[in-house]
Amino acid sequence: MISRRGLLFGIGAGLATSCGLPAYAHDEKFKLDEKFEPQSISFSGYEPGTIIIDPKNHFLYLQLEADMARRYGVGVGRSGLAFRGQAEVGRKAKWPSWTPTANMIRRNPKKYGRFAKGVPGGPNNPLGSRALYLYRDGRDTLYRIHGTTEPSSIGRSVSNGCIRMINDHVEDLYERVPVGARVVVL
């Protein structure tokens, strides 16, 4: 006889897979290239606390001191969809909800239309475990630095414009960066 817990778990798993979302946040078989692991490196040119994103090389830097930074590997936007310029972290969220933008739905209604009402935060959410919301002139740009349910996208240009990080890595960055931090996307 099936228990109530088993029934609810089965329904939840069925919903996650029927929505086209992964059943778990990270594939246990995935191995991140060592160069994309967080590391302290020699880096200069920005005020401490500034986040610098180098989309061409798939790195995000957090300037720590005058000559040191913490470097993380990232996934970035496909050609023509990437954010460029300066912004600031306007807000932060743990286990954020996600709703595709109107442009995402317009570009690919079959893929994104079914999520138009949003996806609640949790391990199957495309924004992963944390999100830093990029604002410009006090307005949400709709671009994010966030975790991902697709760790194999790190080191690639595949997103709809946001900056993707491994969940553990974005959690580390989240704890180091305050709201109001400057963001520079090269």
Side-chain angles (χ1 to χ4, degrees):
M1 176 173 246
I2 192 165
S3 69
R4 177 184 162 107
R5 178 181 286 168
L7 177 65
L8 292 175
F9 178 77
I11 291 170
L15 286 173
T17 56
S18 69
C19 291
L21 297 174
Y24 44 85
H26 287 275
D27 182 352
E28 298 299 324
K29 297 175 186 174
F30 175 75
K31 176 71 173 130
L32 185 66
D33 187 316
E34 202 171 286
K35 71 181 178 184
F36 295 126
E37 292 288 348
Q39 49 196 285
S40 293
I41 63 161
S42 179
F43 189 86
S44 62
Y46 298 89
E47 291 291 317
T50 302
I51 296 171
I52 306 94
I53 300 162
D54 177 359
K56 180 180 176 188
N57 294 303
H58 301 97
F59 290 119
L60 179 151
Y61 301 88
L62 173 60
Q63 188 75 58
L64 300 174
E65 305 164 359
D67 62 350
M68 292 297 294
R70 185 147 174 91
R71 185 180 79 184
Y72 305 85
V74 295
V76 298
R78 294 188 303 270
S79 180
L81 298 177
F83 179 87
R84 295 274 189 258
Q86 295 190 34
E88 70 177 36
V89 175
R91 104 179 164 89
K92 299 177 4 176
K94 293 182 178 182
W95 294 107
S97 61
W98 172 74
T99 303
T101 66
N103 283 337
M104 290 170 70
I105 295 170
R106 191 171 27 261
R107 278 192 306 269
N108 194 338
K110 189 173 184 178
K111 181 175 183 178
Y112 296 113
R114 62 187 169 173
F115 303 117
K117 293 185 181 188
V119 177
N124 295 319
N125 184 300
L127 293 186
S129 62
R130 302 289 184 274
L132 290 86
Y133 294 72
L134 303 186
Y135 280 59
R136 185 181 281 162
D137 300 323
R139 298 185 65 186
D140 187 352
T141 64
L142 303 179
Y143 288 96
R144 318 281 184 246
I145 298 170
H146 63 81
T148 184
T149 55
E150 298 175 348
S152 62
S153 66
I154 303 305
R156 299 174 57 208
S157 302
V158 297
S159 80
N160 280 289
C162 289
I163 307 301
R164 297 178 178 186
M165 300 177 73
I166 297 290
N167 281 328
D168 288 345
H169 302 177
V170 78
E171 290 170 21
D172 179 68
L173 180 68
Y174 182 97
E175 294 302 323
R176 295 171 183 266
V177 175
V179 169
R182 182 174 170 228
V183 179
V184 177
V185 183
L186 306 174

